[in-house]
Amino acid sequence: FYVSLFSFPHTMPRWNETVELFRAKMPLRKHRCRFKSYEHCFTATEAVDWLHELLRRSQNFGPEVTRKQTVQLLKKFLKNHVIEDIKGKWGQEDFEDNRHLYSLQRILGLDSLEEVLDITLVNSKFIIHNVYSVSKQGVVILDDKSKELPHWVLSAMKCLANCLLQKEKMAIEAFQICCLLLPPENRRKLQLLMRMMARICLNKEMPPLCDGFGTRTLMVQTFSHCILCSKDEVDLDDLLAARLVTFLMDNYQEILKVPLALQTSIEERVADLRRVQIKYPGADMDITLSAPSFCRQISPEEFEYQRAYGSQEPLAALLEEVITDAKLSSKEKKKKLKQFQKSYPDVYQERFPTPESEALLFPEKPKAKPQLLMWALKNPFQPFQRTRSFRM
């Protein structure tokens, strides 16, 4: 309700801080009024004196704050029950700078529960059950399951509860992306600054750094402008800046770490680019990634031609290597050529279109003439002599 309390041109966190300081530090003492004593209260004039001095010393307001403005503020306090009339009047009271007594708001408007608590209605079993029969989330577990809420009610409640969570998750993811775009030196400075701010706010032993407002508000107001770095100060909304920096400070550990989903996606994309990368001879081996290449659409005729003849050039080169290999004997070469002809007849036919072209590779050796018998040359008429001997 603090937003509607005040007419001064300042933001909600500053007013909340003022109310908290007033409640925590406004001096209370015993007063007498019309022969009756009242404990823990203060006069209207004492409240004006104390709050006026607080506002004048505050960096948010300054010494230009008047006593009349302070009275107007305390009227808002009274209307919204930040302070209450000591006699419990309600609705018609008006705050003025006088000796009238006031006290701070009390729970239920009572000093104790004795006036409203009926001892006969206290059930010790309920207290024990509510203390010990709870889930890990702190919710009471019922022994009688028939008294549980319907399933659809629980589902609806869960959806509604997770809806403030979905927006917070989206905000954290947006902050994560924005912080990843920072230069490394700026990201490091932001990490160290956020950690310092958060630890200072959580340090309960640290003395107050400012009398005007608390440590948390001091941290946000001091560093919001340097964190957001708006070029034009008039464009930087104070309330929005305070909310952004407060959210960043409360969630800095989650925001300033690398998002796991984004890191996995990038690693998969890099691995995919490495798989399709083509390296040519003479390319720079230090370059691990290259720009992705794209396929060019070809006509069906060109596709059929490439399918039919695209692999013939390497096969023709292989055939030439077999033909010109001087280490192979003629027998081994003929054997390999027959195997090649059987496997790739088209390529072999193109290299040796006729039997004559194949025969040129293995020319026939001249046949050796039969040697004449030496004895036939020396004794050409020997058979006739033998015949003659038979006759004799």
Side-chain angles (χ1 to χ4, degrees):
F1 70 91
Y2 298 141
V3 178
S4 62
L5 285 182
F6 315 112
S7 58
F8 295 105
H10 295 283
T11 60
M12 180 178 66
R14 298 174 183 176
W15 289 120
N16 292 349
E17 190 69 27
T18 303
V19 173
E20 292 175 3
L21 286 172
F22 184 83
R23 282 177 166 169
K25 297 186 177 182
M26 175 62 201
L28 305 177
R29 63 186 180 88
K30 181 178 179 180
H31 289 79
R32 292 183 60 85
C33 180
R34 295 182 181 181
F35 308 103
K36 186 175 181 181
S37 297
Y38 297 92
E39 299 287 345
H40 307 294
C41 58
F42 52 88
T43 65
T45 300
E46 291 173 345
V48 175
D49 293 340
W50 188 89
L51 185 57
H52 186 217
E53 183 63 21
L54 175 68
L55 297 177
R56 285 172 54 84
R57 289 187 286 108
S58 174
Q59 296 180 358
N60 297 325
F61 305 98
E64 66 275 7
V65 177
T66 65
R67 190 175 183 87
K68 183 177 180 181
Q69 288 177 319
T70 306
V71 172
Q72 293 296 324
L73 177 57
L74 286 168
K75 286 185 177 182
K76 298 292 185 180
F77 279 14
L78 179 61
K79 182 178 179 181
N80 291 276
H81 283 262
V82 176
I83 61 177
E84 294 179 341
D85 185 278
I86 196 66
K87 297 181 180 180
K89 294 182 180 180
W90 172 262
Q92 297 179 353
E93 68 276 16
D94 188 18
F95 187 91
E96 296 181 0
D97 192 354
N98 55 25
R99 300 293 299 174
H100 194 79
L101 293 179
Y102 294 92
S103 61
L104 296 174
Q105 183 185 34
R106 297 174 296 177
I107 300 175
L108 300 179
L110 301 173
D111 294 327
S112 67
L113 296 178
E114 295 179 357
E115 300 178 20
V116 295
L117 183 63
D118 188 352
I119 302 299
T120 59
L121 300 179
V122 176
N123 190 326
S124 59
K125 292 183 179 179
F126 292 170
I127 299 175
I128 295 174
H129 187 95
N130 291 335
V131 171
Y132 294 103
S133 298
V134 294
S135 65
K136 294 181 179 179
Q137 292 76 24
V139 180
V140 175
I141 300 175
L142 299 181
D143 296 331
D144 187 358
K145 299 302 180 182
S146 63
K147 297 181 179 179
E148 287 279 5
L149 291 173
H151 176 71
W152 65 270
V153 175
L154 294 175
S155 299
M157 294 172 65
K158 185 176 181 180
C159 292
L160 291 173
N162 292 331
C163 181
L164 299 170
L165 295 179
Q166 293 297 331
K167 291 183 178 180
E168 181 178 354
K169 183 179 179 182
M170 292 177 62
I172 290 176
E173 291 178 353
F175 268 105
Q176 286 177 336
I177 299 298
C178 292
C179 292
L180 282 177
L181 300 177
L182 295 174
E185 61 272 15
N186 291 2
R187 181 178 173 89
R188 174 177 171 80
K189 292 176 183 177
L190 182 62
Q191 288 174 320
L192 297 177
L193 178 60
M194 286 293 104
R195 185 169 62 178
M196 181 198 73
M197 293 170 61
R199 290 184 177 181
I200 289 177
C201 293
L202 295 176
N203 189 358
K204 297 181 179 179
E205 298 181 358
M206 178 172 290
L209 301 178
C210 181
D211 295 334
F213 38 85
T215 303
R216 182 182 177 86
T217 303
L218 176 64
M219 292 292 104
V220 173
Q221 293 182 359
T222 303
F223 296 106
S224 60
H225 286 263
C226 67
I227 292 174
L228 300 179
C229 295
S230 176
K231 294 183 179 180
D232 300 321
E233 293 293 332
V234 294
D235 295 336
L236 185 62
D237 183 84
D238 288 340
L239 178 58
L240 179 59
R243 293 180 60 186
L244 289 175
V245 175
T246 302
F247 184 82
L248 182 60
M249 183 174 63
D250 292 341
N251 302 275
Y252 80 97
Q253 291 182 333
E254 186 71 18
I255 290 173
L256 293 175
K257 72 178 183 180
V258 179
L260 182 60
L262 179 61
Q263 182 179 1
T264 303
S265 177
I266 292 176
E267 291 176 352
E268 291 177 353
R269 176 59 177 165
V270 171
D272 184 62
L273 291 177
R274 286 177 174 172
R275 283 195 296 269
V276 301
Q277 181 182 4
I278 300 176
K279 294 184 178 180
Y280 298 94
D284 188 3
M285 300 305 294
D286 293 335
I287 300 177
T288 57
L289 291 175
S290 62
S293 57
F294 300 92
C295 297
R296 179 179 61 86
Q297 186 175 5
I298 61 176
S299 63
E301 293 79 9
E302 188 176 358
F303 172 76
E304 293 296 334
Y305 176 82
Q306 291 183 3
R307 186 179 65 173
Y309 300 100
S311 61
Q312 290 189 357
E313 293 182 3
L315 293 175
L318 177 62
L319 179 59
E320 290 298 329
E321 289 181 4
V322 176
I323 294 173
T324 58
D325 192 351
K327 296 181 181 180
L328 294 176
S329 64
S330 299
K331 184 177 180 181
E332 293 176 346
K333 188 176 294 187
K334 287 181 180 181
K335 182 178 180 181
K336 290 183 177 297
L337 289 176
K338 286 184 179 180
Q339 292 177 351
F340 191 94
Q341 183 182 16
K342 184 177 180 181
S343 300
Y344 309 103
D346 295 338
V347 180
Y348 191 87
Q349 180 66 27
E350 185 177 358
R351 177 64 177 81
F352 301 107
T354 61
E356 290 77 9
S357 60
E358 184 179 6
L360 293 175
L361 185 61
F362 302 102
E364 295 184 0
K365 296 182 180 180
K367 296 182 179 179
K369 295 182 180 180
Q371 297 181 355
L372 297 176
L373 297 176
M374 295 303 294
W375 60 268
L377 295 175
K378 294 180 180 180
N379 303 309
F381 301 106
Q382 186 176 359
F384 298 99
Q385 294 176 0
R386 289 180 179 176
T387 305
R388 188 172 51 192
S389 63
F390 283 124
R391 289 178 181 178
M392 292 176 63

